[in-house]
Amino acid sequence: MAVAELSPSYSKICLHSSQVSFSIRLANHRRCALRPSPRTRSTRISCSVAPNQVQAPVAVLPEDPNKKSDCFGIFCLTYDLKAEEETKSWKKLINIAVSGAAGMISNHLLFKLASGEVFGPDQPIALKLLGSERSFQALEGVAMELEDSLFPLLREVKISIDPYEVFQDVEWALLIGAKPRGPGMERAGLLDINGQIFAEQGKALNAGASRNVKVLVVGNPCNTNALICMKNAPNIPAKNFHALTRLDENRAKCQLALKAGVFYDKVSNMTIWGNHSTTQVPDFLNARINGLPVKEVIKDHKWLEEEFTEKVQKRGGVLIKKWGRSSAASTAVSIVDAIRSLVTPTPEGDWFSSGVYTTGNPYGIAEDIVFSMPCRSKGDGDYELVKDVIFDEYLLKRITKTEAELLAEKRCVAHLTGEGIAFCDLPEDTMLPGEM
Amino acid sequence: MAVAELSPSYSKICLHSSQVSFSIRLANHRRCALRPSPRTRSTRISCSVAPNQVQAPVAVLPEDPNKKSDCFGIFCLTYDLKAEEETKSWKKLINIAVSGAAGMISNHLLFKLASGEVFGPDQPIALKLLGSERSFQALEGVAMELEDSLFPLLREVKISIDPYEVFQDVEWALLIGAKPRGPGMERAGLLDINGQIFAEQGKALNAGASRNVKVLVVGNPCNTNALICMKNAPNIPAKNFHALTRLDENRAKCQLALKAGVFYDKVSNMTIWGNHSTTQVPDFLNARINGLPVKEVIKDHKWLEEEFTEKVQKRGGVLIKKWGRSSAASTAVSIVDAIRSLVTPTPEGDWFSSGVYTTGNPYGIAEDIVFSMPCRSKGDGDYELVKDVIFDEYLLKRITKTEAELLAEKRCVAHLTGEGIAFCDLPEDTMLPGEM
């Protein structure tokens, strides 16, 4: 195998081709891509640029050649951040994988990640973008726009259609990509088709991701997708898997604020219980407005019981109708919120919702499913479930319903979680409007 | 005229209808909208919510009722930010107008403005969104997504199709909306159709905007649109009008970095001279890489002279081909960069490009056009042109060509700038690829 031999004064090595991944051929001909990736055998081709063309005092060769496979454009350079005055105090670079990277949610999210808005102004990041064969050209387009944005913190961008390659060494995996439901497809069919994707991605995470990777599943049906992913990644703590219910939480806060005539920052302690579906339970019993129980502030309890939940859930559908597109921007914002809630300490007395693993939960919710519950974090990436919540009959009845649904979904994907033969008895269609 | 009489313990007053603007009727029925707007006579209807329903210790009635017309949803509340612990140290709220607010560039930009990423974490903002009758429903969708994003700094959102209403009291006007070129339309036709929009918007800015409003024109052909807008706003300093060439600057930096094999943050002093069109001049004579003149770092001068400019200009076209959409995300990033360059001090020895008014320029460029030139700012919203730049024959020749084009464009819109009868002799199509 030929290995690149470059003196430090030449910075770059070039293009290759591989069997599984695509190599990027843009007008720029100086690309690095040292092969093979951990799973795919492929040729290493390396070449230097003409020595008289460039001076690159900053860029240095990667220590581990495998780390730089499938990089894109300017992001193929490697940096000794400790060698530079401006970047010396930065944290160690972290790898963040994003699936469905060519989609609209990602088109908002990636730029937020790269700008430093999520992980802070001293956290350099590497983005590893997972797409499909069909979306690969679009992935290149996304990477080009990231180049043109000149984000100082964005130090690497890789694009690939191979989850094993993308998830190698990642500290965060944001799993946004999922197949949309085809015409006439039942929820069971959707569970199966997406479940297979998340089973594969779980295996890939298990094989190569950081042992402490945090996995946030956005692609629907996200709770059960997260369960499938987790079950296929036995070497990663179950606690590290999340299903996104933060957009529901944000919408619920906004609707309570609107009803109460206060700004949304006055609403706290908002829990979404259960499944990210129409059985979800936005909890107005424990939520607070200006520190007071919601029911003391909003006296229209009929509205709370009969209209509030529907308002939260119909939001996506109303939006599609008005705007002609699904709520990509606010979904991306809620993903940012969800990540920030894990990397910054939760404000005293407050909490946030996330779909997490139920085993060991203090609420008596069935074990071994992924269920949205109230969480607090010390800002270390981990969380604990909140103990001081109250229940009444109305809340419990609804929690039982969403729990039953998630148990049914689990039976429906038993073939994907290694628990025998699937049996599907999903009673009704519970996809949220606007998320078909 | 009935005026709302509300005791401080009830926060909200309700829905109205008006002749010109739309009132927003969503499920939420508590909306404030005190009329009339400065230009439109319309009815004021005010009503209070049932007193036993809400407690709203924070929201207060607007001092000037006109200020709250056409507000959206939760953003109809008004706040005494000085009364609260968390917001006491915040700056005074600023009004930011965005036209083309339902479009894709805005869909990225608005969330950046609202998140605090542009004006900082202590700058509350009001967004005033200008759309068309056709896009009004989409504007509502955008406003809904802004609600659901719970941005603490975003305190007001208004949506309207009336520029006079939208531009009232704004400190920033980001003019993104423009008509795309129809099939078979010449550049002259595009200049005329968009020129009319920008003439009207100039008049509206002149009528009601802050006397120190900063106007950034993004809609194409942006230089001449900016000139038209400026000429129709004689009471606003000509210096306050900008045409966006920052995406060109960013792309030029990236291409030089790629060629040199260095990270893009090593490229500085990048000027785009002239028009945001194919006659634009990305200046590699004055630009620097790691503090050295580009020509000392990139020895392939043939590439600089023959390929570099084309690479910068073709970027948008390549992107559309790959990604299927135009470069909305990176355009929005470049708008953020352009604003930030005016509100933060320019780093020592560096500069940025902006399309600004030429009268009084030190380079000998024809007066009375909007021309991209190198600028520095103290961070006060204002700028000065950089004096220590050098020219060679090659650079001057190209500057002369883009200058000639802008002078021709100016003659072509004389009817819109109050300078007589238009005469169009635009020699060729110089729209940038991907911006048709």
Side-chain angles (χ1 to χ4, degrees), chain A residues 27 30 53 79 84 102 140 145 147-148 151 258-259 263-264 266 297 299 311 315 322-323 330, chain B residues 27 30 53 79 84 102 140 145 147-148 151 258-259 263-264 266 297 311 315 322-323 330:
Chain A
R30 244 174 308 103
Q53 281 193 19
Y79 312 93
E84 292 189 66
E140 292 183 340
E145 282 210 86
E147 279 186 318
D148 288 343
F151 293 116
L258 270 166
K259 180 71 178 171
F263 196 50
Y264 40 58
K266 302 302 167 211
V297 180
K299 299 283 166 60
K311 278 209 187 299
R315 200 79 176 155
K322 289 199 175 288
W323 163 227
S330 52
Chain B
R30 242 172 310 100
Q53 280 193 20
Y79 312 93
E84 293 189 66
E140 291 184 340
E145 282 211 86
E147 280 187 317
D148 289 343
F151 293 116
L258 269 166
K259 181 71 177 173
F263 196 50
Y264 38 59
K266 302 300 166 211
V297 179
K311 278 205 186 301
R315 199 80 176 156
K322 289 197 174 291
W323 163 226
S330 53

Side-chain angles (χ1 to χ4, degrees), chain A residues 11-12 25-31 52-59 72-75 77 79 84 86-87 90 101-104 107-108 111-112 115 117 137-155 247 249-251 253-255 257-266 289-290 292 296-300 311 315 318-319 321-331 333 337, chain B residues 11-12 25-31 52-59 72-75 77 79 84 86-87 90 101-104 107-108 111-112 115 117 137-155 247 249-251 253-255 257-266 289-290 292 296-300 311 315 318-319 321-331 333 337:
Chain A
S11 71
K12 301 298 315 79
R25 286 190 194 83
L26 289 181
N28 162 48
H29 65 283
R30 244 174 308 103
R31 292 279 150 66
N52 65 336
Q53 281 193 19
V54 298
Q55 295 183 339
V58 178
F72 187 90
I74 197 94
F75 303 112
L77 296 168
Y79 312 93
E84 292 189 66
E86 316 93 83
T87 56
W90 284 7
M104 285 313 294
N107 199 238
H108 286 269
F111 291 80
K112 289 172 190 292
S115 75
E117 160 177 11
Q137 284 242 324
L139 276 193
E140 292 183 340
V142 171
M144 283 174 66
E145 282 210 86
L146 287 168
E147 279 186 318
D148 288 343
S149 296
L150 312 182
F151 293 116
L153 291 164
L154 182 61
R155 293 290 163 152
L247 181 57
E249 177 186 330
N250 288 356
R251 287 173 171 170
K253 282 182 166 177
C254 185
Q255 291 308 309
L258 270 166
K259 180 71 178 171
V262 301
F263 196 50
Y264 40 58
D265 66 348
K266 302 302 167 211
I289 295 175
N290 279 308
L292 297 171
E296 285 180 28
V297 180
I298 297 173
K299 299 283 166 60
D300 185 354
K311 278 209 187 299
R315 200 79 176 155
V318 173
L319 214 135
K321 226 174 180 172
K322 289 199 175 288
W323 163 227
R325 304 171 206 251
S326 64
S327 46
S330 52
T331 303
V333 169
D337 290 342
Chain B
S11 70
K12 300 301 311 81
R25 284 189 195 84
L26 287 183
N28 163 49
H29 64 282
R30 242 172 310 100
R31 292 279 150 65
N52 66 338
Q53 280 193 20
V54 297
Q55 295 182 341
V58 177
F72 188 89
I74 197 94
F75 304 112
L77 298 167
Y79 312 93
E84 293 189 66
E86 317 91 82
T87 56
W90 284 7
M104 285 313 295
N107 198 238
H108 286 269
F111 292 79
K112 288 171 190 295
S115 75
E117 154 177 22
Q137 283 243 325
L139 276 193
E140 291 184 340
V142 171
M144 283 174 67
E145 282 211 86
L146 288 168
E147 280 187 317
D148 289 343
S149 297
L150 312 182
F151 293 116
L153 292 164
L154 182 61
R155 294 289 164 152
L247 181 56
E249 177 186 330
N250 288 357
R251 287 173 171 171
K253 280 182 167 177
C254 185
Q255 292 307 308
L258 269 166
K259 181 71 177 173
V262 301
F263 196 50
Y264 38 59
D265 67 348
K266 302 300 166 211
I289 296 176
N290 279 308
L292 297 171
E296 285 180 29
V297 179
I298 297 173
K299 299 283 167 58
D300 185 353
K311 278 205 186 301
R315 199 80 176 156
V318 173
L319 214 135
K321 226 174 178 174
K322 289 197 174 291
W323 163 226
R325 306 173 202 249
S326 64
S327 45
S330 53
T331 303
V333 169
D337 289 343

Side-chain angles (χ1 to χ4, degrees), chain A residues 308-360:
Chain A
F308 166 55
T309 299
E310 205 186 343
K311 278 209 187 299
V312 173
Q313 294 182 350
K314 283 207 168 158
R315 200 79 176 155
V318 173
L319 214 135
I320 283 208
K321 226 174 180 172
K322 289 199 175 288
W323 163 227
R325 304 171 206 251
S326 64
S327 46
S330 52
T331 303
V333 169
S334 75
I335 295 170
V336 169
D337 290 342
I339 299 172
R340 273 203 194 130
S341 286
L342 292 170
V343 299
T344 49
T346 310
E348 186 62 34
D350 202 0
W351 64 64
F352 59 91
S353 302
S354 190
V356 290
Y357 193 49
T358 49
T359 297

